[in-house]
Amino acid sequence: MPALTLDTIHTAPEALSDFTDYLRENPDPQEALALVEPLLDEYTGMPVPIADTLRALARVVQEHPNTPRTAQVGARITKLRLAASEQADQHTLHYVLEDLRDLYGSASASEKGCGRCR
């Protein structure tokens, strides 16, 4: 595995920021849904790796020999693990995406005119 750098890590939030800017430009909804799909994929989308990262960070902090063994530190580690669980629960967003895709697909097939005319 290549060494990670801050620059490497910063590319993910920068890409999401660029994507958010793109969405603010009111693109075609079907195109936007297609582009967001990999981010919300049930197995490989962002919620699962972020949850895995938070769990791994909690483990690193807990297992490091220089980490103080205090209730305060233990509470912070527990909060990291709770955040990881909450993030992992977001994997269900792909169902919302499917519903939106179906809704948009059925609306566009049955309605004529541009989005502003409807």
Side-chain angles (χ1 to χ4, degrees):
M1 170 184 233
L4 290 175
T5 66
L6 284 177
D7 288 339
T8 304
I9 299 299
H10 281 284
T11 59
E14 288 170 4
L16 286 174
S17 179
D18 290 346
F19 184 53
T20 301
D21 291 343
Y22 164 79
L23 291 173
R24 289 183 178 134
E25 294 172 2
N26 297 319
D28 176 72
Q30 287 181 318
E31 184 178 318
L33 289 168
L35 290 172
V36 80
E37 188 172 1
L39 297 175
L40 300 179
D41 183 83
E42 180 179 13
Y43 301 107
T44 61
M46 294 301 294
V48 173
I50 290 174
D52 291 345
T53 299
L54 292 171
R55 280 189 208 96
L57 178 60
R59 182 186 46 76
V60 164
V61 170
Q62 182 177 27
E63 293 178 0
H64 193 276
N66 293 338
T67 298
R69 307 295 180 219
T70 65
Q72 186 178 25
V73 171
R76 299 280 187 317
I77 292 169
T78 298
K79 284 184 180 182
L80 273 176
R81 289 190 173 125
L82 178 60
S85 293
E86 290 171 356
Q87 186 63 43
D89 288 345
Q90 297 302 311
H91 80 280
T92 60
L93 286 171
H94 77 279
Y95 293 122
V96 175
L97 183 65
E98 288 175 5
D99 292 343
L100 286 172
R101 200 171 30 245
D102 290 346
L103 177 67
Y104 183 78
S106 64
S108 65
S110 64
E111 298 177 11
K112 303 292 181 202
C114 69
R116 291 183 185 156
C117 299
R118 283 181 257 170

